[in-house]
Amino acid sequence: MSAEDPPELAYDISQCVHRADLVPEALAPWDGSALPGLVLRRLADGALRSALATPAKGWQATSARADGALTQLFVLEGQVRIGETVLGPCGFAVLPGDRPLDVEVLADSEWIVIVDTPVEGTSPGPVLHADCRAINPFVPVIEGRRLDGFERRVLWLDPRSGADTRLLKVPPRFGGVGGGNWHPVEEEIFCIEGDIQPDDTRPMKAGSFLWNPARSIHGFNERTEGGCMLLEWHDGPWDLHLA
C-alpha cells in the first residue's frame, strides 16, 4: 500500500455509550472556564471532542480558545444567552474561539458540546439558531433511495473542512439502508428522543451516544420501532458507501 492509499476498512468497531453509564467530571470547552458534565468522546491525544454539559442557572463564561477552535453547542434542556441571542431547547450555536462571545445560563441546562479540531485560515463567523426546528427540513436521498418520512436539517457546514452537524428525524419502523455501510469521516450520533439501533448489540434510546470511526463498517441491522430524533456530527465531508 502506497502512502497515498487510504487505510483499509475496519469491521464492527463502533462504540456506543449511554448517559447513565458515564461518570461526571469537569469539562473545559473554553479557556478559563469549567462546568460539570459527562464526556462522550475524547480524541487519541486526550483532547475533548464531545460531551454532555450540565451548567446551572447563573453560570457564565466567554467562548474564547487560544487555539481558535470552533465550539458547537446544542441545547437539550434549559435556556442560555449567547451574545444577544437566547437559545432554548433545540437551540444551536457555533462559536469561533478567536472571536469569543459571552455565555450566560438563564435556566438549569443540558447541552451537547462539540469541540472541533482547529483548522488553518480565518474562522467563520458565529452561528446562532434560537430553535433549530425553524430550519426548513428536506428528505435525504441515499444510494438513490428517497427516505420518505425522514426530515434532515443541516444546522451548520464548515466551508473550510466540510465538517457538518445535522438534526435528523427518523420515522417509526425504519429498517436501514441495505446492510453494512461505512463513511470516509468520523461520525458521532446522539439520540435525543426515541429508539434506534445500528445492530443487535448496540441498542440506543434517549441519552445514547454512538461513534462510528472513519472507514469502519457498521449498521448491520439498523432499525427503529417508534422513530427517533438524532443529532449527528462529522469531522469532514460525509458520504455513505455500502459494504
Side-chain angles (χ1 to χ4, degrees):
M1 184 175 71
S2 71
E4 291 77 21
D5 290 333
E8 294 184 357
L9 296 176
Y11 184 83
D12 196 22
I13 61 171
S14 298
Q15 297 182 20
C16 182
V17 297
H18 310 284
R19 179 196 277 118
D21 299 329
L22 299 175
V23 178
E25 57 184 283
L27 310 175
W30 301 306
D31 297 342
S33 66
L35 70 166
L38 305 168
V39 172
L40 297 174
R41 180 180 167 226
R42 290 190 182 276
L43 302 180
D45 63 2
L48 180 67
R49 169 55 173 163
S50 54
L52 291 174
T54 53
K57 179 180 179 180
W59 186 86
Q60 298 183 45
T62 59
S63 59
R65 290 183 60 96
D67 60 7
L70 298 170
T71 306
Q72 303 179 52
L73 185 156
F74 184 90
V75 180
L76 294 169
E77 297 179 1
Q79 194 175 58
V80 57
R81 179 186 293 114
I82 301 178
E84 300 300 320
T85 303
V86 174
L87 282 61
C90 275
F92 177 75
V94 180
L95 306 176
D98 54 0
R99 281 177 279 173
L101 293 175
D102 292 332
V103 179
E104 180 185 4
V105 177
L106 304 179
D108 291 354
S109 297
E110 184 174 43
W111 308 332
I112 298 172
V113 175
I114 305 161
V115 181
D116 285 13
T117 300
V119 178
E120 291 186 4
T122 303
S123 297
V127 174
L128 297 167
H129 293 296
D131 188 335
C132 294
R133 291 167 292 194
I135 298 172
N136 288 330
F138 64 93
V139 177
V141 177
I142 295 180
E143 291 289 318
R145 175 186 172 189
R146 178 182 167 91
L147 299 181
D148 290 318
F150 278 67
E151 294 182 3
R152 179 189 289 171
R153 291 172 169 87
V154 177
L155 309 187
W156 173 72
L157 173 66
D158 190 334
R160 304 166 303 168
S161 66
D164 72 348
T165 300
R166 310 167 177 184
L167 189 64
L168 183 66
K169 179 181 178 181
V170 181
R173 293 177 294 281
F174 170 67
V177 295
N181 60 88
W182 59 274
H183 315 298
V185 295
E186 308 286 333
E187 178 177 64
E188 297 177 61
I189 301 171
F190 186 86
C191 184
I192 298 171
E193 61 183 44
D195 72 276
I196 194 167
Q197 65 166 52
D199 56 65
D200 294 334
T201 67
R202 298 177 177 91
M204 299 175 66
K205 58 185 179 181
S208 298
F209 168 79
L210 179 71
W211 169 38
N212 295 319
R215 299 184 61 79
S216 66
I217 300 173
H218 59 276
F220 309 104
N221 186 23
E222 185 178 8
R223 69 176 187 269
T224 173
E225 294 301 322
C228 62
M229 183 74 73
L230 306 173
L231 188 74
E232 302 181 349
W233 56 98
H234 313 99
D235 65 352
W238 182 89
D239 198 1
L240 183 146
H241 303 274
L242 294 178

